[in-house]
Amino acid sequence: MRDIMGMMGKVKEMQAKMEQMQAEIAELTAEGKAGGGLVTVVISGKGELKSLKVDPSLFKEDDVEILEDLIVAAHKDAKDKAEALAAEKTKALTAGLPIPPGFKLPF
């Protein structure tokens, strides 16, 4: 019975650490750039778009498609960076746990 109580204590501790980690990840920001810095995107750790900066030289009618592509590319760059930061934080928390490869935390 002591083992069950000890295990329950560890589960609660792990849950508290997971909640703290999720809050830390939500506070992270990542910056992505495309077109050699002509488009810059900043997103939160949850993937929410926080800011978008576009070089004024891209505001030409002929370049609308290029601008759209650069915004998408900058967002992807920022999202990849945010996911890498989140994975790094998660790895420290889950060290030693038998989690299958490719399994993403937090859920």
Side-chain angles (χ1 to χ4, degrees):
M1 194 64 150
R2 288 183 188 173
D3 291 334
I4 292 175
M5 295 304 286
M7 187 172 71
M8 291 301 289
K10 287 183 181 182
V11 167
K12 285 185 180 185
E13 181 182 324
M14 180 72 159
Q15 183 179 14
K17 286 182 181 179
M18 187 65 146
E19 288 172 1
Q20 179 183 1
M21 183 195 64
Q22 287 176 333
E24 289 175 8
I25 288 172
E27 294 296 316
L28 292 174
T29 60
E31 180 179 275
K33 295 185 179 197
L38 293 174
V39 175
T40 303
V41 170
V42 176
I43 63 169
S44 73
K46 290 185 172 184
E48 298 167 343
L49 184 63
K50 294 294 185 182
S51 72
L52 169 66
K53 293 184 182 177
V54 179
D55 189 280
S57 67
L58 292 173
F59 291 114
K60 298 176 186 169
E61 287 185 38
D62 301 343
D63 295 338
V64 172
E65 287 182 32
I66 293 170
L67 177 58
E68 291 169 348
D69 291 343
L70 289 175
I71 291 170
V72 171
H75 185 271
K76 182 184 179 328
D77 183 40
K79 187 173 181 195
D80 291 346
K81 289 176 183 177
E83 286 177 355
L85 289 170
E88 194 175 301
K89 284 197 169 286
T90 304
K91 183 185 272 188
L93 178 67
T94 60
L97 292 178
I99 296 176
F103 190 78
K104 289 187 178 184
L105 289 174
F107 314 112

Coordinates of all heavy atoms in Angstrom, one line a residue:
M1 N 0.8 -1.2 0.0 CA 0.0 0.0 0.0 C 0.9 1.3 0.0 O 0.5 2.3 -0.6 CB -0.9 0.0 1.2 CG -2.0 1.0 1.1 SD -3.1 0.6 -0.2 CE -4.6 1.2 0.4
R2 N 2.0 1.2 0.6 CA 2.9 2.3 0.7 C 3.4 2.7 -0.7 O 3.6 3.8 -1.1 CB 4.1 2.1 1.6 CG 3.7 2.1 3.0 CD 5.0 1.9 3.9 NE 4.6 1.7 5.3 CZ 5.4 1.4 6.2 NH1 6.7 1.2 6.0 NH2 5.0 1.2 7.4
D3 N 3.6 1.6 -1.5 CA 4.1 1.9 -2.9 C 3.1 2.6 -3.7 O 3.4 3.5 -4.5 CB 4.4 0.5 -3.6 CG 5.6 -0.2 -3.0 OD1 6.5 0.5 -2.5 OD2 5.6 -1.4 -3.2
I4 N 1.8 2.3 -3.5 CA 0.7 3.1 -4.3 C 0.7 4.5 -3.8 O 0.6 5.4 -4.7 CB -0.6 2.4 -4.0 CG1 -0.6 1.0 -4.7 CG2 -1.7 3.3 -4.5 CD1 -1.9 0.2 -4.4
M5 N 0.8 4.8 -2.5 CA 0.8 6.1 -2.0 C 2.0 6.9 -2.5 O 1.9 8.1 -2.9 CB 0.8 6.2 -0.5 CG -0.5 5.6 0.1 SD -2.0 6.4 -0.6 CE -1.9 7.9 0.3
G6 N 3.2 6.2 -2.6 CA 4.4 6.9 -3.1 C 4.2 7.2 -4.6 O 4.7 8.2 -5.0
M7 N 3.7 6.2 -5.3 CA 3.4 6.4 -6.7 C 2.5 7.6 -7.0 O 2.7 8.4 -7.9 CB 2.9 5.1 -7.4 CG 2.8 5.2 -8.9 SD 2.4 3.7 -9.7 CE 0.7 3.5 -9.2
M8 N 1.4 7.7 -6.2 CA 0.4 8.7 -6.4 C 1.1 10.1 -6.1 O 0.8 11.1 -6.8 CB -0.8 8.5 -5.4 CG -1.6 7.4 -5.8 SD -2.3 7.5 -7.5 CE -3.5 8.8 -7.2
G9 N 2.0 10.1 -5.1 CA 2.7 11.4 -4.8 C 3.6 11.8 -6.0 O 3.7 13.0 -6.3
K10 N 4.2 10.8 -6.6 CA 5.1 11.1 -7.8 C 4.2 11.6 -9.0 O 4.6 12.4 -9.7 CB 5.9 9.9 -8.2 CG 7.0 9.6 -7.2 CD 7.9 8.4 -7.6 CE 8.9 8.2 -6.6 NZ 9.8 7.1 -7.0
V11 N 3.0 11.0 -9.1 CA 2.2 11.4 -10.2 C 1.7 12.9 -10.0 O 1.8 13.6 -11.0 CB 0.9 10.5 -10.3 CG1 -0.1 11.1 -11.2 CG2 1.3 9.1 -10.8
K12 N 1.4 13.2 -8.8 CA 1.0 14.6 -8.5 C 2.2 15.6 -8.8 O 2.0 16.7 -9.3 CB 0.5 14.7 -7.1 CG -0.9 14.2 -6.9 CD -1.5 14.4 -5.5 CE -2.9 13.8 -5.4 NZ -3.5 14.1 -4.2
E13 N 3.3 15.1 -8.4 CA 4.5 16.0 -8.6 C 4.8 16.1 -10.1 O 5.1 17.2 -10.5 CB 5.7 15.3 -7.9 CG 7.0 16.0 -8.0 CD 8.2 15.3 -7.3 OE1 8.0 14.6 -6.3 OE2 9.3 15.4 -7.9
M14 N 4.7 15.1 -10.8 CA 4.9 15.1 -12.3 C 3.8 16.0 -12.9 O 4.1 16.8 -13.8 CB 4.8 13.7 -12.8 CG 5.0 13.6 -14.3 SD 6.7 14.0 -14.7 CE 6.8 13.2 -16.3
Q15 N 2.6 15.9 -12.4 CA 1.5 16.8 -13.0 C 1.8 18.2 -12.7 O 1.6 19.1 -13.6 CB 0.2 16.4 -12.4 CG -1.0 17.1 -12.9 CD -2.3 16.7 -12.3 OE1 -2.4 16.0 -11.3 NE2 -3.4 17.1 -12.9
A16 N 2.3 18.6 -11.5 CA 2.6 20.0 -11.2 C 3.8 20.5 -12.1 O 3.7 21.6 -12.6 CB 3.0 20.1 -9.7
K17 N 4.8 19.6 -12.3 CA 5.9 20.0 -13.2 C 5.4 20.2 -14.6 O 5.9 21.1 -15.3 CB 7.0 18.9 -13.1 CG 7.8 19.0 -11.8 CD 8.9 17.9 -11.8 CE 9.7 17.9 -10.5 NZ 10.7 16.9 -10.6
M18 N 4.5 19.3 -15.0 CA 4.0 19.4 -16.4 C 3.2 20.7 -16.6 O 3.4 21.4 -17.6 CB 3.1 18.2 -16.7 CG 2.6 18.2 -18.1 SD 4.1 17.9 -19.2 CE 3.3 16.9 -20.4
E19 N 2.4 21.1 -15.6 CA 1.6 22.4 -15.7 C 2.6 23.6 -15.7 O 2.4 24.5 -16.5 CB 0.7 22.5 -14.5 CG -0.5 21.5 -14.7 CD -1.4 21.5 -13.4 OE1 -1.1 22.2 -12.4 OE2 -2.4 20.7 -13.4
Q20 N 3.6 23.5 -14.9 CA 4.6 24.6 -14.9 C 5.3 24.7 -16.2 O 5.5 25.8 -16.8 CB 5.6 24.4 -13.8 CG 6.7 25.4 -13.7 CD 7.7 25.2 -12.6 OE1 7.7 24.1 -12.0 NE2 8.7 26.1 -12.5
M21 N 5.7 23.5 -16.8 CA 6.4 23.5 -18.1 C 5.5 24.0 -19.2 O 5.9 24.8 -20.0 CB 6.8 22.1 -18.5 CG 7.6 22.0 -19.8 SD 7.7 20.4 -20.4 CE 6.1 19.9 -20.8
Q22 N 4.2 23.7 -19.2 CA 3.3 24.2 -20.2 C 3.1 25.7 -20.1 O 3.1 26.4 -21.1 CB 1.9 23.6 -20.0 CG 1.8 22.1 -20.5 CD 0.5 21.5 -20.2 OE1 -0.2 21.8 -19.3 NE2 0.2 20.5 -21.0
A23 N 3.1 26.3 -18.9 CA 3.1 27.7 -18.7 C 4.4 28.4 -19.2 O 4.3 29.4 -19.9 CB 2.9 28.1 -17.2
E24 N 5.5 27.7 -19.0 CA 6.8 28.3 -19.5 C 6.8 28.2 -21.0 O 7.2 29.2 -21.6 CB 7.9 27.5 -18.9 CG 8.2 27.7 -17.4 CD 9.3 26.8 -16.9 OE1 10.0 26.1 -17.7 OE2 9.5 26.8 -15.7
I25 N 6.3 27.2 -21.6 CA 6.3 27.1 -23.0 C 5.4 28.1 -23.6 O 5.7 28.7 -24.6 CB 5.9 25.6 -23.5 CG1 7.0 24.7 -23.2 CG2 5.5 25.6 -25.0 CD1 6.6 23.2 -23.4
A26 N 4.2 28.4 -23.0 CA 3.3 29.4 -23.5 C 3.9 30.8 -23.5 O 3.6 31.6 -24.3 CB 2.0 29.4 -22.7
E27 N 4.9 31.0 -22.6 CA 5.5 32.3 -22.4 C 6.7 32.5 -23.4 O 7.1 33.6 -23.7 CB 6.0 32.5 -21.0 CG 5.0 32.6 -20.0 CD 4.1 33.8 -20.2 OE1 4.6 34.9 -20.5 OE2 2.8 33.7 -20.1
L28 N 7.1 31.4 -24.0 CA 8.2 31.5 -25.0 C 7.8 32.2 -26.2 O 6.6 32.3 -26.6 CB 8.7 30.1 -25.4 CG 9.3 29.2 -24.4 CD1 9.5 27.8 -25.1 CD2 10.6 29.7 -24.0
T29 N 8.8 32.9 -26.9 CA 8.5 33.4 -28.2 C 9.6 33.0 -29.1 O 10.7 32.7 -28.7 CB 8.5 35.0 -28.2 OG1 9.8 35.5 -27.7 CG2 7.4 35.5 -27.3
A30 N 9.2 32.9 -30.4 CA 10.2 32.5 -31.4 C 10.0 33.4 -32.6 O 8.9 33.7 -33.0 CB 10.0 31.0 -31.8
E31 N 11.1 33.7 -33.2 CA 11.1 34.7 -34.4 C 11.5 33.9 -35.6 O 12.5 33.2 -35.6 CB 12.1 35.8 -34.1 CG 12.2 36.8 -35.2 CD 13.1 38.0 -34.9 OE1 12.7 38.9 -34.3 OE2 14.3 37.9 -35.3
G32 N 10.8 34.0 -36.7 CA 11.1 33.4 -37.9 C 11.2 34.5 -39.0 O 10.6 35.5 -39.0
K33 N 12.2 34.2 -39.9 CA 12.4 35.2 -41.0 C 12.4 34.5 -42.3 O 12.7 33.3 -42.4 CB 13.8 35.8 -40.8 CG 13.9 36.7 -39.6 CD 15.2 37.4 -39.5 CE 15.2 38.3 -38.2 NZ 16.2 39.3 -38.2
A34 N 12.0 35.2 -43.3 CA 12.0 34.7 -44.7 C 12.4 35.9 -45.6 O 12.3 37.0 -45.3 CB 10.6 34.2 -45.1
G35 N 12.9 35.5 -46.8 CA 13.3 36.4 -47.8 C 14.5 37.3 -47.3 O 14.6 38.5 -47.6
G36 N 15.4 36.6 -46.6 CA 16.6 37.4 -46.1 C 16.3 38.5 -45.1 O 16.9 39.5 -45.1
G37 N 15.2 38.3 -44.4 CA 14.8 39.2 -43.4 C 13.8 40.2 -43.8 O 13.4 41.1 -43.1
L38 N 13.3 40.1 -45.1 CA 12.2 41.0 -45.6 C 10.9 40.8 -44.8 O 10.1 41.7 -44.7 CB 12.0 40.8 -47.1 CG 13.2 41.2 -48.0 CD1 12.9 40.9 -49.4 CD2 13.5 42.7 -47.8
V39 N 10.7 39.6 -44.3 CA 9.5 39.3 -43.6 C 9.9 38.6 -42.3 O 10.7 37.7 -42.3 CB 8.5 38.4 -44.3 CG1 7.3 38.0 -43.5 CG2 8.0 39.0 -45.6
T40 N 9.4 39.2 -41.1 CA 9.7 38.6 -39.8 C 8.4 38.4 -39.1 O 7.5 39.2 -39.0 CB 10.6 39.6 -39.0 OG1 11.8 39.9 -39.8 CG2 11.0 39.1 -37.7
V41 N 8.3 37.2 -38.5 CA 7.2 36.8 -37.7 C 7.6 36.4 -36.3 O 8.6 35.7 -36.2 CB 6.5 35.5 -38.4 CG1 5.4 34.9 -37.5 CG2 5.9 35.9 -39.8
V42 N 6.8 36.8 -35.3 CA 7.1 36.4 -33.9 C 5.8 35.6 -33.5 O 4.7 36.2 -33.6 CB 7.4 37.6 -33.0 CG1 7.5 37.1 -31.6 CG2 8.6 38.3 -33.5
I43 N 6.0 34.4 -32.9 CA 4.9 33.6 -32.4 C 5.2 33.2 -31.0 O 6.3 33.2 -30.5 CB 4.6 32.3 -33.3 CG1 5.8 31.4 -33.2 CG2 4.3 32.7 -34.7 CD1 5.5 30.0 -33.8
S44 N 4.1 32.9 -30.3 CA 4.2 32.4 -28.9 C 4.6 30.9 -28.9 O 4.5 30.3 -30.0 CB 2.9 32.6 -28.2 OG 1.9 31.7 -28.6
G45 N 4.9 30.4 -27.8 CA 5.1 28.9 -27.7 C 4.0 28.1 -28.0 O 4.1 26.9 -28.3
K46 N 2.8 28.7 -28.0 CA 1.6 27.9 -28.5 C 1.3 28.1 -29.9 O 0.3 27.6 -30.4 CB 0.3 28.4 -27.7 CG 0.4 28.0 -26.2 CD -0.9 28.4 -25.5 CE -1.0 27.9 -24.1 NZ -2.2 28.2 -23.5
G47 N 2.1 28.8 -30.6 CA 1.9 29.0 -32.1 C 1.1 30.2 -32.5 O 0.7 30.4 -33.6
E48 N 0.7 31.1 -31.5 CA -0.1 32.2 -31.8 C 0.8 33.3 -32.4 O 1.8 33.6 -31.9 CB -0.8 32.7 -30.5 CG -1.7 31.8 -29.9 CD -2.1 32.2 -28.5 OE1 -1.4 33.0 -27.8 OE2 -3.1 31.6 -28.0
L49 N 0.3 33.9 -33.4 CA 1.0 35.0 -34.1 C 1.0 36.2 -33.2 O 0.0 36.7 -32.8 CB 0.4 35.3 -35.4 CG 1.1 36.3 -36.3 CD1 2.5 35.9 -36.7 CD2 0.3 36.6 -37.5
K50 N 2.2 36.7 -32.8 CA 2.3 37.9 -32.0 C 2.6 39.1 -32.8 O 2.1 40.2 -32.4 CB 3.4 37.7 -30.9 CG 3.1 36.6 -29.9 CD 1.9 37.0 -29.1 CE 1.6 36.0 -28.0 NZ 0.5 36.3 -27.2
S51 N 3.5 39.0 -33.8 CA 3.8 40.2 -34.6 C 4.2 39.8 -36.0 O 4.7 38.7 -36.2 CB 4.8 41.1 -33.9 OG 6.1 40.5 -34.0
L52 N 4.1 40.7 -36.9 CA 4.5 40.5 -38.3 C 5.1 41.8 -38.8 O 4.5 42.9 -38.7 CB 3.2 40.1 -39.1 CG 3.4 40.1 -40.6 CD1 4.3 39.0 -41.1 CD2 2.0 40.0 -41.3
K53 N 6.3 41.7 -39.3 CA 6.9 42.9 -39.9 C 7.3 42.6 -41.4 O 7.8 41.5 -41.7 CB 8.2 43.2 -39.1 CG 7.9 43.7 -37.7 CD 9.1 44.1 -37.0 CE 8.7 44.5 -35.6 NZ 9.7 44.9 -34.7
V54 N 6.9 43.5 -42.2 CA 7.1 43.3 -43.7 C 7.9 44.6 -44.2 O 7.5 45.7 -43.9 CB 5.8 43.2 -44.4 CG1 6.1 43.1 -45.9 CG2 5.0 42.1 -43.9
D55 N 9.0 44.3 -44.9 CA 9.8 45.4 -45.4 C 8.9 46.1 -46.4 O 8.3 45.5 -47.3 CB 11.0 44.8 -46.1 CG 12.0 45.9 -46.5 OD1 11.7 46.5 -47.6 OD2 13.0 46.1 -45.8
P56 N 8.9 47.5 -46.4 CA 8.1 48.3 -47.3 C 8.4 48.0 -48.8 O 7.5 48.2 -49.6 CB 8.4 49.7 -46.9 CG 8.9 49.6 -45.5 CD 9.6 48.3 -45.4
S57 N 9.6 47.5 -49.1 CA 9.9 47.3 -50.5 C 9.0 46.2 -51.1 O 9.0 46.1 -52.4 CB 11.4 47.0 -50.6 OG 11.6 45.7 -50.1
L58 N 8.4 45.4 -50.3 CA 7.5 44.3 -50.8 C 6.1 44.8 -51.1 O 5.3 44.0 -51.6 CB 7.5 43.2 -49.8 CG 8.8 42.4 -49.6 CD1 8.6 41.4 -48.5 CD2 9.2 41.7 -50.9
F59 N 5.7 46.0 -50.9 CA 4.4 46.5 -51.1 C 4.2 47.0 -52.5 O 3.9 48.2 -52.8 CB 4.0 47.6 -50.1 CG 3.9 47.1 -48.7 CD1 4.8 47.5 -47.7 CD2 2.9 46.2 -48.4 CE1 4.6 47.0 -46.4 CE2 2.7 45.7 -47.1 CZ 3.6 46.1 -46.1
K60 N 4.3 46.1 -53.4 CA 4.1 46.4 -54.9 C 3.0 45.5 -55.3 O 3.0 44.3 -54.9 CB 5.4 46.3 -55.7 CG 6.5 47.2 -55.2 CD 7.7 46.9 -56.0 CE 8.9 47.7 -55.5 NZ 10.2 47.3 -56.0
E61 N 2.2 45.9 -56.2 CA 1.1 45.0 -56.7 C 1.6 43.8 -57.3 O 1.0 42.7 -57.2 CB 0.2 45.8 -57.7 CG -0.7 46.9 -57.1 CD -1.6 47.5 -58.1 OE1 -2.1 46.8 -59.0 OE2 -1.8 48.7 -57.9
D62 N 2.7 43.8 -58.0 CA 3.3 42.7 -58.7 C 3.8 41.6 -57.7 O 4.0 40.5 -58.1 CB 4.4 43.1 -59.6 CG 3.9 44.1 -60.7 OD1 2.7 44.2 -60.9 OD2 4.8 44.7 -61.3
D63 N 4.1 42.0 -56.5 CA 4.8 41.2 -55.5 C 3.9 40.6 -54.5 O 4.3 40.0 -53.5 CB 5.9 41.9 -54.8 CG 7.0 42.4 -55.8 OD1 7.1 41.7 -56.8 OD2 7.7 43.3 -55.4
V64 N 2.6 40.6 -54.7 CA 1.6 40.1 -53.7 C 1.8 38.7 -53.4 O 1.9 38.2 -52.2 CB 0.2 40.4 -54.1 CG1 -0.8 39.7 -53.1 CG2 -0.1 41.9 -54.1
E65 N 2.0 37.8 -54.4 CA 2.1 36.4 -54.2 C 3.5 36.1 -53.5 O 3.5 35.2 -52.6 CB 2.1 35.7 -55.5 CG 0.7 35.6 -56.1 CD 0.7 34.8 -57.4 OE1 1.5 33.9 -57.6 OE2 -0.2 35.2 -58.3
I66 N 4.5 36.9 -53.8 CA 5.8 36.7 -53.2 C 5.7 37.0 -51.7 O 6.1 36.3 -50.8 CB 6.9 37.5 -53.8 CG1 7.1 37.1 -55.3 CG2 8.2 37.5 -53.0 CD1 8.0 38.0 -56.1
L67 N 5.0 38.1 -51.4 CA 4.8 38.5 -50.0 C 4.0 37.5 -49.2 O 4.4 37.1 -48.1 CB 4.0 39.9 -50.0 CG 3.7 40.4 -48.6 CD1 4.9 40.6 -47.7 CD2 2.9 41.7 -48.7
E68 N 2.9 36.9 -49.8 CA 2.2 35.9 -49.2 C 3.0 34.7 -48.9 O 3.0 34.1 -47.8 CB 1.0 35.5 -50.0 CG -0.1 36.6 -50.1 CD -1.1 36.3 -51.2 OE1 -0.9 35.4 -52.1 OE2 -2.1 37.0 -51.2
D69 N 3.8 34.2 -49.8 CA 4.7 33.1 -49.7 C 5.8 33.3 -48.6 O 6.1 32.4 -47.8 CB 5.4 32.7 -51.0 CG 4.5 32.2 -52.0 OD1 3.4 31.7 -51.7 OD2 4.9 32.2 -53.2
L70 N 6.3 34.6 -48.5 CA 7.3 34.9 -47.5 C 6.7 34.9 -46.1 O 7.3 34.5 -45.1 CB 7.9 36.2 -47.8 CG 8.9 36.3 -49.0 CD1 9.4 37.7 -49.3 CD2 10.1 35.3 -48.8
I71 N 5.4 35.4 -46.0 CA 4.8 35.3 -44.7 C 4.6 33.9 -44.2 O 4.9 33.6 -43.0 CB 3.4 36.1 -44.7 CG1 3.7 37.6 -44.9 CG2 2.6 35.8 -43.5 CD1 2.5 38.4 -45.2
V72 N 4.1 33.0 -45.1 CA 4.0 31.6 -44.7 C 5.3 31.0 -44.3 O 5.4 30.3 -43.3 CB 3.3 30.9 -45.9 CG1 3.3 29.4 -45.6 CG2 1.9 31.3 -46.1
A73 N 6.4 31.3 -45.1 CA 7.7 30.7 -44.8 C 8.2 31.2 -43.5 O 8.8 30.5 -42.7 CB 8.6 31.1 -45.9
A74 N 8.0 32.5 -43.2 CA 8.5 33.1 -41.9 C 7.7 32.5 -40.7 O 8.3 32.2 -39.7 CB 8.3 34.6 -41.9
H75 N 6.4 32.3 -40.9 CA 5.6 31.6 -39.8 C 6.1 30.2 -39.6 O 6.3 29.8 -38.4 CB 4.1 31.6 -40.2 CG 3.3 31.1 -39.1 ND1 3.0 29.8 -39.0 CD2 2.7 31.7 -38.1 CE1 2.2 29.6 -37.9 NE2 2.0 30.8 -37.3
K76 N 6.4 29.5 -40.6 CA 6.9 28.1 -40.5 C 8.2 28.1 -39.8 O 8.5 27.2 -38.9 CB 7.0 27.4 -41.8 CG 7.5 25.9 -41.7 CD 7.7 25.3 -43.0 CE 8.1 23.9 -42.9 NZ 9.0 23.5 -41.8
D77 N 9.1 29.0 -40.1 CA 10.4 29.1 -39.5 C 10.2 29.4 -38.0 O 10.9 28.7 -37.2 CB 11.2 30.2 -40.2 CG 12.6 30.3 -39.6 OD1 13.3 29.3 -39.3 OD2 13.1 31.5 -39.4
A78 N 9.4 30.3 -37.6 CA 9.1 30.6 -36.2 C 8.5 29.4 -35.5 O 8.9 29.1 -34.4 CB 8.2 31.8 -36.1
K79 N 7.6 28.7 -36.1 CA 6.9 27.6 -35.5 C 7.9 26.5 -35.3 O 7.9 25.8 -34.2 CB 5.7 27.1 -36.4 CG 4.9 26.0 -35.7 CD 3.7 25.7 -36.5 CE 2.9 24.6 -35.7 NZ 1.9 24.0 -36.5
D80 N 8.8 26.2 -36.2 CA 9.8 25.2 -36.1 C 10.7 25.5 -34.9 O 11.0 24.6 -34.1 CB 10.6 25.0 -37.3 CG 9.8 24.4 -38.5 OD1 8.7 23.8 -38.3 OD2 10.3 24.5 -39.6
K81 N 11.1 26.7 -34.7 CA 11.9 27.1 -33.6 C 11.2 27.0 -32.3 O 11.8 26.5 -31.3 CB 12.4 28.6 -33.8 CG 13.4 28.7 -34.9 CD 13.8 30.2 -35.2 CE 14.8 30.3 -36.3 NZ 15.1 31.7 -36.6
A82 N 9.9 27.4 -32.3 CA 9.1 27.3 -31.0 C 9.0 25.8 -30.6 O 9.1 25.4 -29.5 CB 7.8 27.9 -31.2
E83 N 8.7 24.9 -31.6 CA 8.6 23.5 -31.3 C 9.9 22.9 -30.8 O 9.9 22.1 -29.9 CB 8.1 22.7 -32.6 CG 6.7 23.0 -32.9 CD 6.2 22.3 -34.2 OE1 7.0 21.7 -34.9 OE2 5.0 22.4 -34.4
A84 N 11.0 23.4 -31.3 CA 12.3 22.9 -30.9 C 12.6 23.3 -29.4 O 13.1 22.5 -28.6 CB 13.4 23.4 -31.8
L85 N 12.2 24.6 -29.1 CA 12.4 25.0 -27.7 C 11.5 24.2 -26.8 O 11.9 23.8 -25.7 CB 12.0 26.5 -27.6 CG 13.0 27.5 -28.2 CD1 12.4 28.9 -28.3 CD2 14.3 27.5 -27.5
A86 N 10.2 24.0 -27.2 CA 9.3 23.2 -26.4 C 9.8 21.8 -26.2 O 9.7 21.2 -25.1 CB 7.9 23.2 -27.0
A87 N 10.3 21.2 -27.2 CA 10.9 19.8 -27.1 C 12.1 19.8 -26.2 O 12.2 18.8 -25.4 CB 11.3 19.3 -28.5
E88 N 12.9 20.8 -26.2 CA 14.0 20.8 -25.3 C 13.6 20.9 -23.8 O 14.1 20.2 -23.0 CB 14.9 22.1 -25.7 CG 16.2 22.1 -25.1 CD 17.0 23.3 -25.6 OE1 17.2 23.4 -26.8 OE2 17.4 24.1 -24.7
K89 N 12.6 21.7 -23.6 CA 12.1 21.8 -22.2 C 11.4 20.5 -21.8 O 11.5 20.1 -20.7 CB 11.1 23.0 -22.1 CG 11.7 24.3 -22.0 CD 10.7 25.3 -21.5 CE 11.4 26.6 -21.2 NZ 12.2 26.6 -20.0
T90 N 10.6 19.9 -22.7 CA 9.9 18.6 -22.4 C 10.9 17.5 -22.1 O 10.7 16.7 -21.3 CB 9.0 18.3 -23.6 OG1 8.1 19.4 -23.8 CG2 8.2 17.0 -23.3
K91 N 12.0 17.5 -22.9 CA 13.0 16.4 -22.7 C 13.6 16.4 -21.3 O 13.8 15.4 -20.7 CB 14.2 16.6 -23.7 CG 15.2 15.5 -23.7 CD 16.4 15.8 -24.6 CE 16.0 15.3 -26.0 NZ 17.2 15.3 -26.9
A92 N 13.8 17.6 -20.7 CA 14.4 17.7 -19.4 C 13.4 17.1 -18.4 O 13.7 16.4 -17.4 CB 14.7 19.1 -19.0
L93 N 12.1 17.4 -18.6 CA 11.0 16.9 -17.7 C 10.8 15.4 -17.8 O 10.6 14.8 -16.8 CB 9.7 17.7 -17.9 CG 8.5 17.2 -17.1 CD1 8.8 17.6 -15.6 CD2 7.3 17.8 -17.6
T94 N 10.9 14.9 -19.0 CA 10.5 13.5 -19.2 C 11.8 12.6 -19.2 O 11.6 11.4 -19.6 CB 9.7 13.3 -20.5 OG1 10.5 13.8 -21.6 CG2 8.4 14.1 -20.4
A95 N 12.9 13.1 -18.8 CA 14.1 12.2 -18.8 C 13.9 11.0 -18.0 O 13.4 11.0 -16.9 CB 15.3 13.0 -18.3
G96 N 14.2 9.8 -18.6 CA 14.0 8.6 -17.9 C 12.7 7.9 -18.1 O 12.5 6.8 -17.7
L97 N 11.7 8.6 -18.7 CA 10.4 8.0 -18.9 C 10.4 7.3 -20.2 O 10.9 7.8 -21.2 CB 9.3 9.1 -18.9 CG 9.0 9.8 -17.5 CD1 8.0 10.9 -17.7 CD2 8.6 8.8 -16.5
P98 N 9.7 6.2 -20.3 CA 9.7 5.4 -21.5 C 8.6 6.0 -22.5 O 7.5 5.4 -22.6 CB 9.3 4.0 -21.1 CG 8.5 4.2 -19.8 CD 9.1 5.4 -19.2
I99 N 8.9 7.1 -23.1 CA 8.0 7.7 -24.0 C 8.4 7.3 -25.5 O 9.5 7.4 -25.8 CB 8.0 9.2 -23.9 CG1 7.5 9.6 -22.5 CG2 7.2 9.9 -24.9 CD1 7.6 11.1 -22.1
P100 N 7.4 6.8 -26.2 CA 7.7 6.4 -27.6 C 8.3 7.5 -28.5 O 7.8 8.7 -28.3 CB 6.4 5.9 -28.2 CG 5.4 6.0 -27.1 CD 6.0 6.7 -25.9
P101 N 9.1 7.2 -29.4 CA 9.7 8.3 -30.3 C 8.5 8.9 -31.1 O 7.6 8.3 -31.5 CB 10.6 7.5 -31.3 CG 10.9 6.2 -30.6 CD 9.7 5.9 -29.7
G102 N 8.6 10.3 -31.3 CA 7.6 11.0 -32.0 C 6.4 11.4 -31.2 O 5.6 12.2 -31.6
F103 N 6.3 11.0 -30.0 CA 5.2 11.3 -29.1 C 5.4 12.7 -28.6 O 6.5 13.0 -28.0 CB 5.2 10.3 -27.9 CG 3.9 10.5 -27.0 CD1 2.7 9.9 -27.5 CD2 4.0 11.2 -25.8 CE1 1.6 10.1 -26.7 CE2 2.8 11.3 -25.0 CZ 1.7 10.7 -25.5
K104 N 4.5 13.6 -28.8 CA 4.7 15.0 -28.4 C 4.0 15.4 -27.1 O 2.8 15.0 -26.9 CB 4.1 15.9 -29.5 CG 4.9 15.9 -30.8 CD 4.5 16.9 -31.8 CE 5.3 16.9 -33.0 NZ 5.0 18.0 -33.9
L105 N 4.7 16.0 -26.3 CA 4.1 16.6 -25.0 C 4.3 18.1 -25.1 O 5.2 18.6 -25.7 CB 4.9 16.1 -23.8 CG 4.7 14.6 -23.5 CD1 5.6 14.2 -22.3 CD2 3.2 14.3 -23.1
P106 N 3.5 18.9 -24.5 CA 2.2 18.6 -23.9 C 1.2 18.2 -24.9 O 1.3 18.6 -26.1 CB 1.8 19.8 -23.1 CG 2.6 20.9 -23.8 CD 3.8 20.3 -24.4
F107 N 0.2 17.4 -24.5 CA -0.8 16.9 -25.4 C -1.6 17.9 -26.1 O -2.1 18.8 -25.6 CB -1.7 15.9 -24.6 CG -1.0 15.0 -23.7 CD1 -1.1 15.1 -22.4 CD2 -0.2 14.1 -24.2 CE1 -0.4 14.3 -21.5 CE2 0.5 13.2 -23.4 CZ 0.4 13.3 -22.0

